[in-house]
Amino acid sequence: MNTGVCTTVACSLAKNGGLVSFPLVTLAGLVDSLNPCAITMIVLLLTYLVIFAKKPERVLLTGLVYIASVFLTYLFIGLFFYKSINFFSITPVRFYINKILGSVLLLAGMINVKDFFFPQLGPHLEIPAQTRPFLKKLTQNVSYPMAAVLGVLVTVLETPCSLPIYIGTATILANAGLAGLVVLFYFLYYNFLFVLPLLLILLLVWKGSEWRVIELQDFEHRGKKWMKLSLGILLLLMGSWLVL
């Protein structure tokens, strides 16, 4: 590959057949799964079901519908960006696309790290404040179709939280020159890792009921800044990877 149209790391990936893709996707998926936006919303949903609606028998199926909706929506978003990045990769602007995306990831990483040390200072990468009351209101509708709608909306609106690391992963996979089925496997695997904490939260609430919900609310509140720090560090590494 001509190093005049790709970054140093992108060329190295292509030459080595993407050998680093599996550990990279695993790390990115696990870190992205510590997403305070997605975790907060499922805790709110299950809290309403257990404590306010008094319908613990609906926790499992409602949670599964919500998580499946998040999984499919995020998978579609990832494949869309992969296709878009892959399209630009066949043109001479590939080098500049990598540089621009890498710079965006570096900026997103710095914002997340800033939120760890100075959480009161803006800007923040999170669900827009004006949409939060609407989403919280949706959690009070315990129907299964509404749980699916909530999953789609939360996944789309949480993109400021999660999209930078997802785009970084899609860009590196596009640069690796992997076969289509391998790429699909990686996206399915990444999205499974992304919803894994949601599945664990659902299992804990289903088995532990009300006292587990209260524990999870406290954990989510205390762990939020550490989630942002882990996201920020990985975004800085991925951004540097694409820029160098």
Side-chain angles (χ1 to χ4, degrees), residues 21-107:
S21 296
F22 187 78
L24 173 69
V25 172
T26 300
L27 178 61
L30 288 174
V31 173
D32 199 9
S33 72
L34 300 176
N35 188 313
C37 299
I39 291 175
T40 297
M41 201 52 59
I42 194 171
V43 170
L44 284 174
L45 176 63
L46 299 180
T47 297
Y48 184 82
L49 275 172
V50 174
I51 296 179
F52 298 103
K54 302 296 183 182
K55 295 182 178 179
E57 72 280 359
R58 300 191 66 175
V59 162
L60 182 61
L61 189 52
T62 302
L64 288 174
V65 170
Y66 171 82
I67 292 169
S69 179
V70 170
F71 178 91
L72 293 174
T73 305
Y74 209 44
L75 176 63
F76 175 80
I77 291 173
L79 291 174
F80 170 79
F81 277 104
Y82 171 79
K83 287 290 186 181
S84 301
I85 294 166
N86 213 30
F87 171 77
F88 286 110
S89 293
I90 65 175
T91 72
V93 302
R94 173 181 186 168
F95 173 83
Y96 301 101
I97 294 295
N98 285 337
K99 293 286 189 181
I100 292 170
L101 288 175
S103 300
V104 170
L105 296 186
L106 288 173
L107 177 60

Side-chain angles (χ1 to χ4, degrees), residues 42-44 46-47 50-51 59 200-220 222:
I42 194 171
V43 170
L44 284 174
L46 299 180
T47 297
V50 174
I51 296 179
V59 162
L200 294 175
I201 289 171
L202 175 59
L203 182 62
L204 286 172
V205 174
W206 181 49
K207 292 294 186 181
S209 194
E210 186 171 329
W211 70 276
R212 282 293 187 188
V213 171
I214 297 171
E215 273 194 348
L216 287 168
Q217 284 180 318
D218 183 58
F219 171 78
E220 182 272 330
R222 289 185 291 105

Side-chain angles (χ1 to χ4, degrees), residues 8 12 15 27 64 77 96 156 168 176 202 227 244:
T8 303
S12 176
K15 290 177 182 178
L27 178 61
L64 288 174
I77 291 173
Y96 301 101
V156 172
L202 175 59
M227 298 178 199
L244 294 178

Side-chain angles (χ1 to χ4, degrees), residues 101-133:
L101 288 175
S103 300
V104 170
L105 296 186
L106 288 173
L107 177 60
M110 287 187 285
I111 291 174
N112 275 291
V113 173
K114 180 270 301 176
D115 282 346
F116 176 81
F117 293 102
F118 308 103
Q120 303 304 321
L121 298 179
H124 309 286
L125 299 179
E126 55 189 21
I127 293 177
Q130 60 270 29
T131 65
R132 291 177 206 162

